[in-house]
Amino acid sequence: MFRNLTALASVVAVAGVLAASSSQAAGLRTPLMRTNNLTFSKAVSLPGVTLAAGAYVFESGPAGTDPNIVRVLSQNRQTQFYLGFTIPKVRPRNAAAAILTFGEAPAGGAAPILEWYPVGSTTGHQFMYR
């Protein structure tokens, strides 16, 4: 009887640890993904791609992945235009609450998006250009 009670206690303890770790992992994944619908009146660029004027979906941490991964999709989410790693960037305290910061565009070219700060977040994503 003592062996059965010890075995049962061990099984319950292992099940509790597994349940706690899986719920912790799920809790960590949920807040990582941020999404913004952004519309541009002129062409803009990201590393390796130019986005024509139009509406796009910007996502960080898509499907619970690394929060530093950013994906840019068409408004209907049928076409992926960009997928890449970014550098975490804390918005400077004195900076305007802009969602995007742009770099200087080459003559006749699309302005590069340097940083994206999801709505309501003080931490953003700096795109890596070579």
Side-chain angles (χ1 to χ4, degrees):
M1 182 168 143
F2 183 68
R3 285 185 191 173
N4 291 341
L5 188 57
T6 303
L8 179 61
S10 297
V11 169
V12 169
V14 169
V17 168
L18 290 175
S21 64
S22 66
S23 67
Q24 239 181 358
L28 290 175
R29 269 186 258 124
T30 304
L32 299 180
M33 186 168 159
R34 294 190 178 265
T35 303
N36 288 153
N37 296 310
L38 302 175
T39 303
F40 302 102
S41 59
K42 293 192 256 184
V44 295
S45 68
L46 289 168
V49 65
T50 298
L51 303 175
Y56 298 91
V57 177
F58 279 58
E59 293 179 338
S60 66
T65 60
D66 187 315
N68 297 316
I69 294 175
V70 169
R71 178 168 66 172
V72 178
L73 306 163
S74 60
Q75 188 173 23
N76 65 5
R77 296 177 172 267
Q78 298 299 309
T79 305
Q80 178 175 292
F81 294 99
Y82 176 81
L83 178 68
F85 284 99
T86 60
I87 300 168
K89 181 81 175 182
V90 176
R91 185 192 313 263
R93 287 186 184 203
N94 299 343
I99 296 170
L100 299 170
T101 59
F102 293 94
E104 191 171 326
I113 299 173
L114 300 179
E115 299 161 344
W116 166 49
Y117 293 94
V119 173
S121 177
T122 57
T123 304
H125 305 274
Q126 181 179 355
F127 293 96
M128 297 184 281
Y129 293 87
R130 291 181 186 219

